[in-house]
Structure formats: C-alpha cells, structure tokens
Amino acid sequence: MLFYLMHIIHIITVILWIGGLAFVTMIVLPMAISTPDALQKVLMFQRVEHRFAKIARAYNLITGISGFIMVFLMGWHKLLFTRAGIPLTFMTMVWVFWFVMLFGLEPIIIRKMLDNMAKGGAKMDIDGVFRKLNKMHYFMVAISMAAVIAGVLTAHGPVALY
Ligand code: HEM
C-alpha cells in the first residue's frame, strides 16, 4: 500500500517537475531570447527562473524521498551500482545531479549571474549568455527524459523481477 502511494506521488511529481522544466525551456526561454530589450529579457527570465527554482527544489525532494522509500521497501538498494541495477543507478545519479544544481549551483551561480546581468547588462554579451542558458536547459530536459526511461525500465524491466 505504502509502495503504491509512493509510486503515485513519484510519478505525479515527476510529471509536474519535468513538464515545468520543458515549458521553461521550450516556451519561456525562447520568448525571453526574442525580447529585443536586454534588460526586459533578463528581468523576464529572472522572475520565472526564481519562482520555478523554488518549486523545483520541492519537486526534487519529493521525487527523491518517494523514490528512496520505494527502493528500501523493496530492498532494491542492494541493486545500486550493480549490472541489474543500471537503470535505478542512472535515475538516482540524475536525481543527485539535480539536487546539486538546485540546492548548490542555482542559488549561488545562476542567481548571481542573472543579478549581475540585470545590474550591468549593457557591458555583457547577454545574447551569448542566453544561448548558453538555452543549451543548458535542453541538456537538462534530455537527461531528465533519460531518467524517465530509466524509471520505466526500473518499474517494468528486469529489476522489477527481483
Ligand atoms: C530525476 C529524478 C527522477 C525521475 C525523473 C524519475 C522518474 C521515474 C519514472 C518515470 C518512473 C517510472 C514508473 C513507472 O513506469 O511506473 C520511476 C520509477 C521508479 N523510481 Fe524514479 N525518478 C527519479 C528519481 C528517483 C530516485 C532518486 C529514486 C530512488 C533512489 C527513484 C526510485 C524509483 C523506483 C524504485 C521506481 C520503480 C517503481 C516501481 O517499480 O513501480 N527514482 N521513476
């Protein structure tokens, strides 16, 4: 029963989280990029990113807690870093990457970068920074999709047979 509940919470959170990330990547960032005024561009993206990063931290924690509860309920922690546990290990690694990004790098690096751009924008290559941000966001969508595939393999692949 607890396993099913955790599974439902895991999936709903992943949908909201990665769906939100895809929305920021495919809708918000291109809109910001096509805004001609540099200050407007930075402020628009900064406001969205600040709000989304806060919610994404909650999504990250809920996904991780529900995931680890499922793993320990099933005794699958023994599969971590084994051949049979490759999808589970991969999913966990992507989660760790996100944890570091959201709790470590985002508040320090990304936030500071956006603040600096908002203050002294004229001297910076803002378009270049936004192109990099766009690439980085597509990379994060891609590895999150890979984690989803790893999750499906964990739930319905060989690991589920253990
Ligand atoms: C980026 C983070 C993560 C994403 C995007 C993600 C995504 C998914 C998805 C889509 C499934 C498929 C469920 C199904 O097909 O029914 C799944 C299952 C699962 N996830 Fe994750 N997950 C993440 C992190 C984690 C973490 C950190 C753990 C724990 C170490 C974990 C443990 C599990 C387990 C045990 C299942 C299998 C559930 C079952 O057998 O029914 N996940 N995950």
Side-chain angles (χ1 to χ4, degrees):
M1 188 62 198
L2 179 61
F3 184 90
Y4 289 126
L5 185 65
M6 290 303 118
H7 195 160
I8 291 166
I9 290 173
H10 197 71
I11 298 302
I12 289 176
T13 313
V14 164
I15 288 169
L16 292 173
W17 176 13
I18 309 305
L21 171 71
F23 184 81
V24 170
T25 307
M26 293 167 190
I27 311 283
V28 177
L29 249 176
M31 273 174 74
I33 287 172
S34 66
T35 305
D37 181 71
L39 185 62
Q40 280 261 331
K41 189 195 295 275
V42 175
L43 288 182
M44 177 195 170
F45 183 67
Q46 188 184 36
R47 284 169 68 197
V48 174
E49 190 83 349
H50 276 190
R51 269 171 174 260
F52 186 66
K54 224 182 267 168
I55 304 170
R57 277 193 275 278
Y59 290 150
N60 178 267
L61 287 182
I62 297 168
T63 304
I65 291 167
S66 56
F68 281 112
I69 291 176
M70 283 193 285
V71 164
F72 286 106
L73 281 175
M74 301 304 279
W76 286 343
H77 53 281
K78 293 188 203 102
L79 289 169
L80 284 168
F81 304 105
T82 66
R83 211 180 143 83
I86 289 173
L88 179 64
T89 310
F90 181 79
M91 183 163 51
T92 309
M93 291 296 107
V94 173
W95 181 84
V96 170
F97 163 82
W98 268 116
F99 184 83
V100 172
M101 284 296 290
L102 288 166
F103 288 92
L105 299 186
E106 198 280 337
I108 302 165
I109 296 175
I110 308 279
R111 199 163 282 206
K112 205 168 264 173
M113 194 177 82
L114 287 169
D115 286 348
N116 283 345
M117 279 199 289
K119 276 180 214 140
K123 287 161 245 130
M124 293 177 75
D125 174 20
I126 290 186
D127 286 337
V129 174
F130 267 79
R131 270 196 299 277
K132 263 192 209 137
L133 273 176
N134 205 9
K135 267 197 197 137
M136 193 178 90
H137 276 74
Y138 268 106
F139 170 74
M140 294 189 299
V141 170
I143 60 159
S144 303
M145 290 293 97
V148 167
I149 294 169
V152 172
L153 288 176
T154 304
H156 309 282
V159 179
L161 304 176
Y162 276 78

